[in-house]
Amino acid sequence: MNATGGSTSPIAYPGGNLSTDTGPVQGITASPRVGSGINYQYPLNLREFWRVGLDALQKYAKDPNGPYKAPFESLSATSQLTLLQDLWDNKPASFNNIRPSDFAYELTFMTWAGFLMDPIYGGNQNMVGWTYTGFNGVNFGNFYGEGKDQKALMVATTPTRLKPASLAQYQQQASGSA
Amino acid sequence: MEPAADVVILGVGYMSGVIAAELSIPKFNGDKPYKVVAITKGPYWDYVNDFSTTKYDEWGVGLGRKYDSPLPLQSTTIRNTPYQFALPVRRYTMPIQYHALGHGVGGAAQHYGGTMGRQGPWGYQMLSQTNTRYGPGAIDTINPHNDLQDWPLQYYQYEPYYVQWENAHGLCGNYNGSTDNPGSDSSGYPWMSQNYRLPPHPLTPAAQLFQSTVQSAPFNYHPFPHVNALASQPYVNQYGVPVNPCVYDGYCGGLCDYACETGAKANAAYRTIPAAIKDGNFTLVVNSFIFRLDTDPTSGLVTAARYYDPQGNVHIQPGTVFFNGMWGYNMIRIMLLSGVGAPYVWNSDPTAVSGTVGRGMTNGYSPYRGTNVSGTLSNIGGNAYPAGNAGGGSVDIYDLMDDNFNHKDLGFIGGSQIGVGGYPGGGPGNITFAGGVSSASMGGTFKTSQKDKYLQTKTVLSSTPFAPDLPTTDNYVDLDPHYTDIYGDPLARLTYDWTPNMYVGATYLANKVKDIFTAMGASNVTVSNTVLPGAVHNDWWGHHLRGGCRIGTDPTWSVWNKWNQCWSPTLKTPFNIFGAGEITNTSGDTVPSGTHVAGPQSYRAAEGIKQYLLQGTTHSLLT
């Protein structure tokens, strides 16, 4: 599978073959990328998908016949990581009728989104994620009076760290209240 | 029933904006009182109020798609071959279905990267030039089930229309050739009678290094600043619309492009529609969904457009002439739903296909993922957080494109525009990064790799060059038999996969780019594994569509004639519907901006509509 896009199997749909008058139809299998394009085809909205996936993940963790035999939150960090890798590798024999790797993708995507999106959505509290990665948010060089100019920053050969600013701060400043 | 209009415009994107200004304003339409009505399914965004404090929002823009056409309203189904069951796109997100349909005045160009670049003479005559230089039959070997055709006009005939387009929208660039001498191609860029309206944006250090490297031996190429439509200076266009320049805040590109809060990013909302509203006999109808065109049962002429208003009431808008400015699949879909033009009917035998609406579909640019070449410049770092814009900073060459090098025995035609050095912070990267996660994106070691990633101490060069996607009889658009839009009408169905020319060209071009990166002093220059034709499949609907609703010399394979006027069913009386967009591009090399190539067609259509209105239905525009 090409991680940056382009499915490595023909576009597909789970549920068997169709045939037409012009000949046999190529077998249809789900492209292993949940997310966008034609690749999300579950008859579940995302809230349901998460409920179903979290339940399946916990069942897999607690399975007395499985490798972990305990609730996910009680596992060691190493074991948690291994379990998540199992999902990416589609190791669980059953997973509430969704593909484990599809849930692994959503989980990983939302974890990073939670770390890096504007705090107005509830994650990245106090811009901890932006401070970590060196992202500026809505500070274009002078939010805190630094006197930097974006026209210079955009062609610089050495980077300049800016203290990040959030959308809420930006809107406060724009409305003259901060 | 609405009052009849002289011109009814479907959709209010880039091309429709030109028609609106050219036909509704007396100064531009020969002092006529033409009544022009334009209808769009989306709103009229106010860029100061709607964008300035809310656009810096990767989650809302990149995932929530708050400025884009909502998928529950309409989507498109996709399959690779005619033997498969097509599936609907149910979700936009990174990194695949990143480009959403536009919504409202300005259309998709409300949030695009602003890239432009003229198509050179070869792009207009790909079929005949290939047959002449490489022998008849060469194209059939390269492109099985070939459906490549020449344009109805040559480059030099479009040249004056390019100038009008560029002045209207404020393109930025620098033409290095001689404007006086049409025979001069010393810049490697197609001849221009006038330089671009505005100067280029400042070049990055990486772009300057690329420029000096490729200008020198052994390459001796002809680099030029990347052409774009992001105003580098304030100016006023021919319609009197004042334009603010770019402020380089960097929430411009990234894989998910951003709306512009200063109006520097050219589109109809910022360049043409304001003039039509102010100076023209012009009515704008927003939040209204066109679902059908009415036609006269005898002549087949289009008589009205039907639309739903926001309350779901049906309105009928009669008109004398119609302009189809809807984007891509929607342009095709409205015609198929309404019985306008001849629908394409696929057959596994390429000689047995018929019809034209939906035929000749290619994805002009960027959806292809294949052989990549990369390298690292250790002495150039930069700020990868938002600073800059999506179209400036870089330098391009056309030397590895078109027929600018000998393709004998190479197994492909055309090539790639190669460019280096866009602003590293031209667009925020967090939603892109999150959308591209894999099993490797977990754990403490990976997290450590993300520390200070926006504070770059080196520059990674990366290029995925490819040769043009060529039209075949097997790639097309029709109506889906299973899935519908919110009103119950069938969705457009895309049957498409990438064609061999792209891959074969990629293998050759990647090694050429490798030579350039090496000469630039990059370390660790690597060409990734070759991606063979058929190894990767298309799974999104793309955005730079090309073909599917082509202009051409022959009604058996094109929808529109050289005036972008629809061929009439009887071929006796000229037809009263015109259209222009990237989807009407007949063919093209991998010039990134099919928009720039479509632009001159909107001015052709405007001129054709003016002639049609002057001379009535008996005037033939075919001569």
Side-chain angles (χ1 to χ4, degrees):
Chain A
M1 173 186 64
N2 183 339
T4 55
S7 111
T8 52
S9 50
I11 284 178
Y13 186 71
N17 297 341
L18 295 177
S19 62
T20 69
D21 291 340
T22 51
V25 172
Q26 295 182 21
I28 348 187
T29 54
S31 177
R33 278 227 49 188
V34 181
S36 62
I38 52 87
N39 296 314
Y40 188 90
Q41 296 294 336
Y42 289 104
L44 302 166
N45 65 31
L46 283 174
R47 176 172 291 177
E48 291 164 340
F49 183 79
W50 273 84
R51 286 197 182 120
V52 162
L54 285 170
D55 181 80
L57 183 154
Q58 196 67 303
K59 280 214 283 261
Y60 178 64
K62 294 199 282 195
D63 182 4
N65 299 319
Y68 305 100
K69 308 185 206 308
F72 183 83
E73 61 274 17
S74 72
L75 300 174
S76 70
T78 311
S79 291
Q80 287 181 340
L81 206 53
T82 313
L83 187 152
L84 292 172
Q85 186 64 53
D86 287 353
L87 299 194
W88 279 103
D89 297 337
N90 287 310
K91 283 220 177 106
S94 76
F95 208 76
N96 283 352
N97 290 321
I98 66 173
R99 286 170 64 94
S101 59
D102 289 346
F103 186 67
Y105 171 82
E106 291 298 323
L107 193 55
T108 313
F109 168 54
M110 287 298 283
T111 302
W112 281 107
F115 191 58
L116 293 171
M117 294 297 110
D118 191 281
I120 214 166
Y121 292 103
N124 189 15
Q125 289 189 24
N126 297 315
M127 297 173 278
V128 58
W130 290 349
T131 304
Y132 185 77
T133 57
F135 191 72
N136 62 327
V138 199
N139 177 1
F140 300 123
N142 196 40
F143 192 85
Y144 301 104
E146 304 97 320
K148 303 285 182 204
D149 169 25
Q150 284 213 288
K151 251 185 122 163
L153 293 172
M154 70 191 192
V155 292
T157 53
T158 54
T160 301
R161 184 185 300 276
L162 292 175
K163 183 178 169 197
S166 70
L167 202 50
Q169 284 178 277
Y170 187 83
Q171 290 173 346
Q172 274 186 328
Q173 196 183 73
S175 67
S177 56
Chain B
M1 186 77 88
E2 304 301 314
D6 296 290
V7 186
V8 177
I9 301 175
L10 316 176
V12 190
Y14 238 139
M15 310 300 150
S16 293
V18 168
I19 304 300
E22 289 286 320
L23 270 300
S24 76
I25 303 173
K27 181 178 170 190
F28 293 94
N29 69 15
D31 270 313
K32 303 294 183 196
Y34 295 140
K35 179 178 160 67
V36 177
V37 173
I39 307 162
T40 174
K41 60 176 164 56
Y44 192 1
W45 302 106
D46 173 334
Y47 59 91
V48 173
N49 290 321
D50 292 325
F51 299 152
S52 63
T53 58
T54 60
K55 63 165 267 190
Y56 312 105
D57 175 9
E58 288 190 76
W59 183 256
V61 173
L63 194 85
R65 298 288 166 171
K66 61 188 184 185
Y67 302 131
D68 294 344
S69 191
L71 278 176
L73 182 65
Q74 61 170 32
S75 183
T76 294
T77 65
I78 305 178
R79 60 183 184 179
N80 293 135
T81 77
Y83 303 106
Q84 292 176 323
F85 185 90
L87 299 169
V89 172
R90 299 179 187 275
R91 193 178 177 194
Y92 295 128
T93 188
M94 309 309 295
I96 300 177
Q97 193 62 55
Y98 65 83
H99 198 93
L101 289 185
H103 198 53
V105 179
Q110 276 287 8
H111 53 84
Y112 71 131
T115 275
M116 295 283 163
R118 287 192 183 189
Q119 174 168 288
W122 183 84
Y124 291 93
Q125 296 190 294
M126 285 166 66
L127 179 66
S128 53
Q129 295 275 335
T130 300
N131 282 342
T132 304
R133 190 162 180 193
Y134 302 108
I139 194 66
D140 297 304
T141 310
I142 289 167
N143 191 38
H145 293 189
N146 177 56
D147 200 18
L148 176 64
Q149 301 290 351
D150 283 354
W151 290 63
L153 296 177
Q154 294 183 50
Y155 170 77
Y156 76 90
Q157 294 170 298
Y158 281 113
E159 210 278 331
Y161 301 95
Y162 269 112
V163 173
Q164 289 187 70
W165 169 265
E166 290 155 10
N167 286 341
H169 299 101
L171 267 60
C172 309
N174 188 26
Y175 173 61
N176 285 323
S178 163
T179 55
D180 294 329
N181 180 5
S184 77
D185 202 0
S186 60
S187 70
Y189 197 77
W191 170 72
M192 295 177 68
S193 62
Q194 291 183 26
N195 203 345
Y196 282 110
R197 186 65 178 75
L198 299 173
H201 299 276
L203 299 182
T204 63
Q208 290 175 47
L209 175 61
F210 173 76
Q211 181 173 262
S212 57
T213 303
V214 299
Q215 262 171 339
S216 317
F219 305 104
N220 300 316
Y221 291 153
H222 306 86
F224 57 91
H226 187 84
V227 181
N228 64 81
L230 311 170
S232 55
Q233 289 177 355
Y235 90 110
V236 180
N237 72 10
Q238 67 262 43
Y239 304 115
V241 178
V243 176
N244 301 319
C246 178
V247 294
Y248 304 106
D249 68 31
Y251 276 82
C252 183
L255 273 190
C256 166
D257 300 320
Y258 285 77
C260 180
E261 75 280 25
T262 69
K265 183 173 282 193
N267 63 50
Y270 303 148
R271 299 289 188 273
T272 46
I273 295 297
I277 288 174
K278 178 167 168 290
D279 298 327
N281 185 0
F282 178 70
T283 305
L284 178 64
V285 181
V286 296
N287 298 315
S288 294
F289 191 95
I290 298 164
F291 65 95
R292 214 53 112 246
L293 299 173
D294 292 347
T295 57
D296 180 280
T298 317
S299 65
L301 287 174
V302 180
T303 56
R306 286 183 184 248
Y307 61 88
Y308 297 114
D309 68 19
Q311 286 72 43
N313 301 313
V314 174
H315 295 249
I316 304 171
Q317 173 61 63
T320 305
V321 178
F322 294 78
F323 178 76
N324 193 343
M326 293 182 172
W327 179 83
Y329 303 116
N330 288 343
M331 179 188 284
I332 294 171
R333 192 170 89 108
I334 193 66
M335 294 174 76
L336 293 177
L337 288 173
S338 309
V340 174
Y344 180 66
V345 179
W346 173 80
N347 194 295
S348 58
D349 174 0
T351 65
V353 302
S354 67
T356 60
V357 181
R359 176 174 180 162
M361 191 72 222
T362 71
N363 255 309
Y365 180 71
S366 199
Y368 160 83
R369 296 286 183 265
T371 311
N372 174 267
V373 49
S374 61
T376 305
L377 295 174
S378 309
N379 56 343
I380 298 178
N383 297 299
Y385 51 65
N389 63 34
S394 62
V395 167
D396 295 326
I397 52 172
Y398 272 10
D399 299 81
L400 291 174
M401 204 171 80
D402 290 356
D403 203 37
N404 293 336
F405 57 95
N406 192 342
H407 286 67
K408 187 173 186 321
D409 297 329
L410 292 183
F412 71 96
I413 61 169
S416 215
Q417 172 171 319
I418 306 295
V420 166
Y423 302 119
N430 297 308
I431 193 72
T432 314
F433 156 72
V437 294
S438 68
S439 60
S441 314
M442 306 187 298
T445 312
F446 181 75
K447 185 180 170 183
T448 307
S449 74
Q450 298 302 300
K451 187 157 178 44
D452 290 341
K453 72 174 178 183
Y454 286 97
L455 307 170
Q456 291 182 343
T457 55
K458 50 189 184 337
T459 295
V460 174
L461 302 171
S462 179
S463 177
T464 308
F466 54 95
D469 186 27
L470 298 176
T472 71
T473 53
D474 302 319
N475 287 340
Y476 63 94
V477 178
D478 65 356
L479 293 177
D480 194 280
H482 305 285
Y483 295 100
T484 72
D485 66 11
I486 203 171
Y487 300 110
D489 282 323
L491 298 182
R493 175 173 62 178
L494 172 66
T495 303
Y496 169 82
D497 213 351
W498 298 318
T499 51
N501 195 64
M502 302 180 91
Y503 295 89
V504 180
T507 311
Y508 176 89
L509 293 165
N511 283 295
K512 289 292 179 191
V513 176
K514 175 178 175 232
D515 293 340
I516 295 173
F517 286 177
T518 305
M520 285 170 72
S523 59
N524 209 19
V525 179
T526 311
V527 177
S528 69
N529 291 336
T530 301
V531 179
L532 295 172
V536 190
H537 300 280
N538 177 66
D539 55 3
W540 68 314
W541 70 45
H543 52 293
H544 281 297
L545 313 176
R546 186 169 300 159
C549 209
R550 304 183 285 190
I551 65 172
T553 51
D554 189 329
T556 62
W557 55 259
S558 61
V559 176
W560 322 92
N561 63 24
K562 65 184 179 182
W563 291 101
N564 283 66
Q565 174 193 31
C566 190
W567 297 102
S568 78
T570 61
L571 287 180
K572 289 187 189 133
T573 50
F575 217 26
N576 67 338
I577 183 166
F578 293 70
E582 285 192 70
I583 201 94
T584 68
N585 290 346
T586 310
S587 68
D589 207 331
T590 58
V591 177
S593 177
T595 317
H596 198 172
V597 181
Q601 293 177 62
S602 68
Y603 279 93
R604 288 283 300 172
E607 193 175 316
I609 293 171
K610 289 173 197 171
Q611 290 188 40
Y612 186 99
L613 287 172
L614 274 178
Q615 311 205 19
T617 59
T618 56
H619 174 68
S620 171
L621 293 184
L622 302 182
T623 54

